[in-house]
Amino acid sequence: MNTPLSALPDTPTPAFSPLYQQIKALILQNLKAGEWKPGEPIPSEMDLAARFRVSQGTVRKAIDELAAENLLVRRQGKGTFVATHTEHHVQYRFLKLVPDSGDLNSEGPAERTIVDCKRLRAAADVARALSLRTGDAVLQVRRVLAYGGVPTILEDLWLPGVPFKGLTAERLTAWRGPMYSLFEAEFGVHMIRAEERIRAVLPDDAQAALLAVTSATPLLSVERVAYTYHDTPMELRRGLYRTDTHHYRNELG
């Protein structure tokens, strides 16, 4: 029976795990270790099959799952590449607010304003979300996204201090691409999945002023924890969304 090469002994491969899932875990371990960086090609299915001593079909099934999870991207005639947040189809993966008329492409990129960027000690709720200890260093960012000159999204982000050492308001303002592509390119942090909680809320006075609404305007509150490889939380994001010209759209199935 084919068995994977034990190149990564710390990768768990329980007996009941299908072989392609074991290969998927090995590929993920290599991605986490930075062997193949975002935007770079991974070895061919034939080379990976030889490396792990399995069939190409087994490798293909593992890659199919990683591609379905937006971790890898197949490019016809070119090979398979590590997904990056600079790619068009990935840029909007975590942005679900779309205009009532048209789409994100017709609307164009948001106008971004960094309101604040500071280092502080993590409060208990932030530390819990980021798997830190209360009082650990975190970076807090507040920004406003506007469409057509109308402030539409207010976001507060908390990032663990150590991986994001050196991130400043100036660097955030100067970066023209998606924020997650900045994290990827300059800090080696690749966000691969997120969990969200959504509810309706009323803004406080400061939030209402930044979004140019009254404190009696209902807003959509979206709290997100974004994870890198091996389910390591790397960002807590709390967003307030205006829904008078936009709606939250999610595809199921």
Side-chain angles (χ1 to χ4, degrees):
M1 187 178 85
N2 288 329
T3 55
L5 180 65
S6 300
L8 299 165
D10 60 335
T11 302
T13 54
F16 59 82
S17 176
L19 187 53
Y20 81 90
Q21 288 283 359
Q22 297 179 34
I23 300 306
K24 178 182 175 182
L26 289 168
I27 294 173
L28 273 172
Q29 188 72 12
N30 290 331
L31 290 170
K32 181 178 184 294
E35 181 174 349
W36 313 306
K37 302 187 185 311
E40 293 182 351
I42 68 169
S44 68
E45 291 177 1
M46 183 181 297
D47 289 342
L48 288 173
R51 175 175 181 167
F52 298 130
R53 295 187 293 185
V54 297
S55 70
Q56 279 186 248
T58 298
V59 171
R60 184 174 302 116
K61 193 169 182 180
I63 290 176
D64 284 345
E65 283 208 354
L66 292 167
E69 294 169 8
N70 294 302
L71 302 183
L72 298 176
V73 178
R74 293 187 186 277
R75 294 178 185 161
Q76 190 169 5
K78 295 183 178 180
T80 302
F81 294 75
V82 182
T84 169
H85 286 278
T86 60
E87 297 208 36
H88 182 73
H89 80 283
V90 178
Q91 284 184 20
Y92 300 126
R93 182 176 164 206
F94 296 122
L95 179 58
K96 302 296 184 179
L97 198 72
V98 298
D100 291 338
S101 57
D103 56 27
L104 286 169
N105 294 321
S106 61
E107 188 172 52
E111 306 155 38
R112 297 169 293 186
T113 302
I114 303 300
V115 178
D116 202 4
C117 180
K118 59 188 176 184
R119 292 192 171 266
L120 42 78
R121 299 295 177 182
D125 60 329
V126 173
R128 186 166 50 251
L130 294 176
S131 295
L132 301 173
R133 293 172 300 194
T134 300
D136 279 354
V138 293
L139 183 73
Q140 182 179 359
V141 177
R142 170 168 278 196
R143 69 173 187 168
V144 174
L145 305 182
Y147 294 94
V150 178
T152 306
I153 303 173
L154 170 63
E155 293 182 321
D156 287 296
L157 295 74
W158 291 265
L159 306 165
V162 174
F164 291 96
K165 184 178 181 181
L167 182 60
T168 62
E170 290 74 22
R171 292 178 79 174
L172 286 166
T173 300
W175 187 263
R176 305 321 305 164
M179 183 179 282
Y180 282 174
S181 68
L182 168 65
F183 295 170
E184 200 173 78
E186 298 199 13
F187 298 93
V189 176
H190 186 46
M191 303 298 189
I192 64 173
R193 75 174 190 90
E195 295 177 356
E196 291 185 337
R197 294 191 295 181
I198 302 173
R199 57 169 59 94
V201 301
L202 295 176
D204 62 30
D205 290 342
Q207 293 166 339
L210 287 168
L211 285 174
V213 297
T214 71
S215 56
T217 304
L219 301 172
L220 192 64
S221 166
V222 181
E223 180 173 299
R224 174 198 304 167
V225 178
Y227 298 83
T228 188
Y229 299 111
H230 295 293
D231 277 345
T232 303
M234 294 299 284
E235 177 201 58
L236 169 64
R237 184 181 299 217
R238 291 171 178 159
L240 292 179
Y241 294 53
R242 286 180 54 168
T243 58
D244 47 343
T245 58
H246 291 68
H247 62 275
Y248 192 92
R249 180 175 182 271
N250 201 7
E251 293 183 10
L252 305 176

